[in-house]
Amino acid sequence: MSRLIILACLAPLALAAAPYRASVDTRALVMVVRAADGEVVARYDGISIGRGGAAAVHYRRDGTTPLGDFRIVAVRRPHRYGAFYQFDYPTPAHAELALAAGKLPRRSRDAIVRAAAARRLAPQGTPLGGGIGIHGVGRGDPAIHAAFNWTTGCIALSDAQLQDFSRWARIGMQVEVR
């Protein structure tokens, strides 16, 4: 039996506003956490993103990190990467972009939109995939983390950064990825 502990019930999603928000700069590979008044409370340099870089929409197995505005909807500890702060990906905005590009069936877009309206986690098995969030290096190689973008679409912090981030991260926290 898995020792995975989910610290949030995913249905319905608890999306109350959190007192801190994070922003990720995928070009500079920096994540900043701000208090509600805008004060910077933490800065994490040298983060990693998906091995495919950043993209407007992440598709299953493309290795990209999706750009957009997200909320943390679940926290999983323990996790193979230390802890996992799951985003509400895919969002209706991503589904609309994928539908317009002809890469997502209308029924999948509709399911994602319905899930968001019901404050539930969107289907994770569509062509947009899922399981996107913030995690550490965990059992991975810190040297690879320092040298390469290596994730399958997530944002990775060093384990020390992830431990520090846990002071600020909460269910409902807004995370802007640009």
Side-chain angles (χ1 to χ4, degrees), residues 78-141:
H79 188 270
R80 72 184 267 195
Y81 296 116
F84 180 64
Y85 296 88
Q86 186 172 2
F87 293 165
D88 59 345
Y89 184 85
T91 68
H94 293 98
E96 293 296 340
L97 288 171
L99 178 70
K103 295 184 176 186
L104 184 70
R106 183 169 298 279
R107 70 182 179 283
S108 294
R109 189 277 317 255
D110 293 347
I112 292 166
V113 170
R114 280 193 309 272
R119 297 174 57 115
R120 290 182 287 116
L121 183 62
Q124 303 289 284
T126 72
L128 301 184
I132 300 292
I134 298 169
H135 59 69
V137 176
R139 292 179 273 184
D141 186 339

Side-chain angles (χ1 to χ4, degrees), residues 21-22 34 38 45 48 54 60 66 68 85 102 110-111 120 125 129 156 171 176:
R21 66 184 185 284
R34 289 184 171 79
D45 294 296
S48 291
R60 184 183 301 148
Y85 296 88
D110 293 347
R120 290 182 287 116
I171 300 299
E176 175 188 48

